[in-house]
Amino acid sequence: MNSLTKVPVTVVTGFLGSGKTTLIRHLITNANGKKLAVLVNEFGSEGVDGEILKSCADANCPAENIVELANGCICCTVADDFIPAMEQLLARKVRPDHILIETSGLALPKPLLKAFDWPEIRSRITVDGVIALADAEAVAAGRFAPDPDAVGAQRAADDNLDHETPLSEVFEDQIACADIVLLTKADLAGSAGLEAAKAAIEAEMPRRVPMLPVVDGAVDARVILGLEAAAEDDLAARPSHHDGEDEHEHNDFASVVVDLPEVTDIDALVVSIQRLAREQNVLRAKGYIAIEGKPMRLLLQSVGERVRHQFDQPWGTRARQSRLVVIGEHGDIDEAAIRAGLGIAGLGI
């Protein structure tokens, strides 16, 4: 790549648990010879997604090309975190052909696009495209809001009431900013669910963009990389609920990191997390779990009551430390209640 050519950057956005990390893992291993770099921004202090991606690093995307930012929303820490991280990637001895940015599930993409106008980087990188991921099964069921029925009832009761919730605004802003929408977990949604999800998303989109069903992040890189959208110069076509605001905050959301002892019963842990989703409105949980008698660590991730887990790799020389990051809306996160909820499963907390 000529040193005067701007490096294309793809922004991967999507709500909690929509499959962003799974998509980027697929792109890393199916890059068609492109040299990739990845910038991962997580909500909370534990870099679970970054570690997952580093576990599948290869010659085209070595581990040192995967940079984690876990100190807050990427678009709120531009000067302190984002710009230095981008400069670090651009200074690599072998310049990346393409940079992928995985935003946190709570991030608003448009403020991030504005950061591409910063003098330090604007002549060197361009936003090739914004890829929004939407969990087709969840969207079809209206679960991009914490309680769609309650929202509808409030709207009907009082026309003057602001019925938009933080969750719906995040979802709508991500969709409105997209150049392509990927409908993830299409196998779980089924054909009827996919059609319902498409209809719900189309109702929120300010312009028509392609929507593609995806299973396990498997999409040809040629479809979503190389869009040449120059999205940083196209902000007017990407409306946001926060247009006109100087800054935004994520005080609507909070995270708790819970350290656990070794777990003897995986099923009991799953049941306890499902109970937390119902009773404490926990949106997302993710982490690595040490299972008694097992040399492999258990990667566990949940979205609402849907919990997935798998043994991913041996603990090796790392401490066998079970740790969960639990995310929810600020008013719902009660650390004591979450610890007690996990303790119900007999985990010894």
Side-chain angles (χ1 to χ4, degrees):
M1 180 180 294
N2 187 298
S3 62
L4 297 178
T5 302
K6 290 186 176 183
V7 176
V9 178
T10 294
V11 176
V12 180
T13 186
F15 198 57
L16 298 165
S18 60
K20 299 184 297 296
T21 303
T22 301
L23 172 68
I24 292 178
R25 287 183 70 176
H26 177 80
L27 292 174
I28 288 174
T29 55
N30 297 273
N32 297 324
K34 287 182 180 291
K35 296 179 177 63
L36 300 180
V38 181
L39 185 61
V40 184
N41 182 216
E42 293 197 65
F43 187 83
S45 59
E46 295 298 312
V48 176
D49 291 347
E51 188 166 350
I52 293 172
L53 293 175
K54 286 180 180 178
S55 70
C56 59
D58 59 19
N60 286 323
C61 187
E64 60 267 24
N65 276 20
I66 301 173
V67 177
E68 301 171 66
L69 299 180
N71 295 321
C73 171
I74 194 172
C75 49
C76 298
T77 58
V78 171
D80 294 335
D81 294 310
F82 175 63
I83 299 299
M86 295 303 293
E87 290 182 314
Q88 175 185 343
L89 292 175
L90 292 170
R92 290 280 188 260
K93 184 176 181 180
V94 178
R95 195 184 193 202
D97 297 323
H98 206 111
I99 298 174
L100 307 174
I101 297 180
E102 179 187 341
T103 70
S104 84
L106 306 176
L108 304 175
K110 189 169 182 178
L112 175 58
L113 298 190
K114 293 178 180 178
F116 282 76
D117 195 42
W118 277 57
E120 292 91 334
I121 60 172
R122 65 186 175 190
S123 65
R124 294 188 284 167
I125 59 177
T126 181
V127 183
D128 180 70
V130 178
I131 311 301
L133 276 62
D135 182 320
E137 183 188 35
V139 173
R143 289 201 301 268
F144 54 85
D147 189 341
D149 292 336
V151 169
Q154 288 174 328
R155 176 186 294 173
D158 187 352
D159 290 337
N160 296 317
L161 187 64
D162 180 10
H163 57 267
E164 294 291 343
T165 70
L167 293 180
S168 66
E169 289 189 5
V170 170
F171 176 82
E172 290 161 12
D173 275 20
Q174 290 172 349
I175 293 300
C177 204
D179 294 291
I180 291 180
V181 175
L182 299 183
L183 299 169
T184 61
K185 304 184 178 75
D187 53 333
L188 300 179
S191 58
L194 280 173
E195 291 306 312
K198 286 180 181 179
I201 291 171
E202 285 176 347
E204 303 295 344
M205 297 178 74
R207 57 199 172 101
R208 292 186 64 85
V209 303
M211 281 192 281
L212 307 174
V214 175
V215 176
D216 293 332
V219 61
D220 193 321
R222 294 171 298 180
V223 175
I224 61 175
L225 304 185
L227 300 181
E228 300 182 355
E232 71 274 20
D233 297 326
D234 188 32
L235 297 180
R238 305 165 192 265
S240 164
H241 286 282
H242 299 267
D243 284 341
E245 297 180 6
D246 292 331
E247 60 182 29
H248 70 279
E249 298 180 349
H250 292 302
N251 290 336
D252 297 310
F253 304 94
S255 66
V256 171
V257 179
V258 182
D259 290 324
L260 306 173
E262 289 199 3
V263 172
T264 58
D265 189 338
I266 297 174
D267 291 337
L269 176 60
V270 169
V271 168
S272 71
I273 291 172
Q274 292 172 330
R275 184 183 294 112
L276 285 176
R278 291 193 302 272
E279 298 178 359
Q280 304 295 329
N281 295 321
V282 165
L283 302 173
R284 185 88 160 93
K286 55 185 177 179
Y288 294 105
I289 309 298
I291 305 300
E292 188 174 289
K294 300 291 185 181
M296 303 279 284
R297 65 183 187 180
L298 186 78
L299 170 61
L300 184 146
Q301 302 190 71
S302 73
V303 182
E305 292 188 53
R306 189 169 65 223
V307 182
R308 290 186 174 185
H309 56 80
Q310 66 186 68
F311 290 102
D312 74 328
Q313 60 181 273
W315 285 100
T317 59
R318 289 168 292 212
R320 291 174 59 87
Q321 176 64 59
S322 299
R323 179 165 291 175
L324 275 180
V325 181
V326 180
I327 302 172
E329 291 195 81
H330 194 275
D332 294 330
I333 286 292
D334 182 331
E335 184 168 351
I338 288 171
R339 292 182 182 277
L342 290 170
I344 291 172
L347 300 175
I349 302 174

